[in-house]
């Protein structure tokens, strides 16, 4: 099947500009990125899914090319903005794919607007437990914006590279450089910290959907990296036991970014999940 052409677009959501990438045809499929990232993070999987679906990869407010208004960035509010995005582009109901913070937003869509949600895929999702990488917890403390600003200069960037502290897998390196470049801008950094502090503090994650899991009727696929040090795979293992229609896939030799580290594997799993006539799959 030929690769689908994707294009950039914008929608007006509650008076603010929300950028997104779209393409393909079929049932709507909305991608929600993680903290500090944008729609570009999904480039490795979008062309595959656009063969079967009309894909929409959002730059959520405060991220990427979307506006950075001084608004509420709690998960409840961000789910509301996604719902208004659906209204703006004429989507009544959509499947959702969310990574990390975007997974938490997807879960809150299920809580707040279940009639607007089809199937849901969660990649290393937030909102399913307390544990969180210490660096992110520390970043919620007062004064962290000034510290971040100082540490994101090109001089510090070169030092981190020399010390080996920012080395990552080849697939992650461009995305992490882009993320650090955006965080050097005050408007991005303000929104980043509001989102982070809206879901966590020094003790770990504070926003949770765990108490609602038993009520979710949507078919769900959970994908986790076995080597995830940001949000442990244990969260997925616990959640799948409470969900009615869920299946968990743990990818070996993979960290917190399955769609960046193993895009072909993730795209295949998403295809199987979204196109399956029954879910969870029958176990032989």
């Amino acid at each position: 099947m030929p690769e689908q052409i994707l294009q950039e677009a914008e929608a007006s959501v509650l008076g603010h500009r929300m950028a997104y990438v779209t393409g393909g045809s079929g049932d709507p499929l909305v991608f929600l990125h993680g903290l500090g990232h944008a729609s570009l993070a999904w480039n490795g999987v979008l062309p595959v899914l656009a063969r079967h679906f009309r894909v929409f990869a959002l730059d959520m407010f405060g991220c990427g090319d979307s506006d950075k208004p001084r608004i509420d960035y709690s998960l409840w509010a961000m789910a509301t903005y996604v719902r208004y995005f659906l209204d703006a582009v004429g989507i009544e109901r959509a499947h959702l794919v969310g990574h990390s913070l975007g997974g938490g937003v997807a879960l809150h869509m299920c809580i707040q607007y279940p009639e607007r949600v089809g199937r849901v895929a969660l990649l290393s999702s937030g909102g399913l437990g307390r544990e969180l990488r210490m660096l992110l917890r520390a970043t919620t403390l007062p004064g962290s914006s000034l510290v971040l600003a100082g540490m994101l200069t090109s001089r510090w960037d070169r030092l981190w590279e020399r010390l080996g502290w920012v080395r990552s897998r080849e697939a992650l390196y461009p995305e992490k450089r882009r993320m650090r470049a955006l965080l050097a801008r005050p408007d991005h950094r303000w929104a980043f910290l509001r989102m982070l502090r809206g879901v966590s503090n020094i003790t770990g994650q504070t926003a949770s959907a765990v108490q609602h899991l038993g009520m979710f009727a949507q078919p769900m696929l959970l994908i986790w990296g076995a080597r995830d040090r940001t949000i442990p795979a244990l969260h997925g293992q616990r959640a799948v036991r409470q969900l009615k229609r869920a299946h968990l896939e743990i990818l070996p030799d993979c960290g917190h970014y399955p769609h960046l580290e193993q895009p072909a594997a993730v795209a295949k799993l998403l295809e199987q999940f979204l196109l399956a006539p029954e879910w969870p799959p029958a176990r032989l």
Side-chain angles (χ1 to χ4, degrees):
M1 190 177 294
E3 186 168 301
Q4 300 296 309
I5 297 175
L6 302 174
Q7 58 186 10
E8 298 178 356
E10 296 179 356
S12 177
V13 178
L14 297 174
H16 303 293
R17 182 175 55 88
M18 183 174 285
Y20 63 99
V21 172
T22 187
S25 61
D27 291 340
L29 174 59
V30 175
F31 289 79
L32 305 171
H33 59 77
L35 178 68
H37 295 274
S39 57
L40 287 172
W42 298 107
N43 280 357
V45 300
L46 286 180
V48 176
L49 275 302
R51 298 171 186 169
H52 312 286
F53 302 93
R54 179 68 173 177
V55 298
F56 298 83
L58 310 190
D59 287 356
M60 290 189 283
F61 284 147
C63 305
D65 291 329
S66 290
D67 286 344
K68 286 83 185 170
R70 297 293 178 114
I71 54 176
D72 184 1
Y73 284 99
S74 67
L75 287 182
W76 286 93
M78 294 176 72
T80 300
Y81 307 149
V82 173
R83 171 243 154 142
Y84 278 107
F85 170 83
L86 298 183
D87 292 343
V89 297
I91 297 174
E92 184 63 31
R93 191 167 181 264
H95 305 304
L96 302 178
V97 179
H99 168 244
S100 198
L101 176 77
V105 176
L107 287 167
H108 278 260
M109 282 288 293
C110 296
I111 298 169
Q112 296 168 239
Y113 311 107
E115 73 283 358
R116 308 295 296 270
V117 180
R119 298 189 177 196
V120 180
L122 304 172
L123 282 62
S124 301
S125 181
L128 295 174
R130 292 281 296 175
E131 293 89 348
L132 184 67
R133 193 172 198 148
M134 184 62 209
L135 179 61
L136 286 173
R137 288 189 277 145
T139 305
T140 65
L141 294 172
S144 58
S145 181
L146 292 174
V147 175
L148 270 178
M151 294 175 64
L152 290 166
T153 62
S154 59
R155 180 180 300 176
W156 277 92
D157 202 35
R158 288 192 296 271
L159 176 60
W160 298 144
E161 290 184 20
R162 197 170 295 123
L163 292 173
W165 291 358
V166 295
R167 289 179 191 156
S168 57
R169 302 181 182 208
E170 187 177 348
L172 292 180
Y173 190 66
E175 179 65 20
K176 289 195 171 182
R177 282 193 71 94
R178 182 163 50 240
M179 179 180 174
R180 292 199 302 275
L182 290 174
L183 286 177
R185 295 173 46 178
D187 56 345
H188 279 265
R189 194 165 60 252
W190 183 89
F192 173 90
L193 290 172
R194 285 297 294 264
M195 291 179 201
L196 179 59
R197 290 167 178 163
V199 298
S200 60
N201 59 28
I202 191 61
T203 68
Q205 294 188 62
T206 55
S208 175
V210 171
Q211 65 271 33
H212 300 278
L213 296 184
M215 298 184 290
F216 290 164
Q218 295 86 353
M220 292 192 177
L221 170 65
L222 283 64
I223 302 175
W224 236 280
R227 298 174 58 185
D228 193 336
R229 295 183 178 88
T230 300
I231 302 176
L234 175 64
H235 289 198
Q237 293 167 337
R238 290 192 303 229
V240 77
R241 292 195 291 265
Q242 299 181 56
L243 291 163
K244 295 177 181 177
R245 304 175 65 188
H247 178 69
L248 171 67
E249 288 282 348
I250 297 181
L251 302 179
D253 196 32
C254 183
H256 185 59
Y257 302 90
H259 53 306
L260 290 167
E261 298 175 61
Q262 299 185 22
V266 169
K268 183 177 180 180
L269 287 170
L270 291 175
E271 275 189 307
Q272 292 171 344
F273 166 58
L274 293 165
L275 297 173
E278 295 183 11
W279 196 262
R283 291 172 173 80
L284 300 179

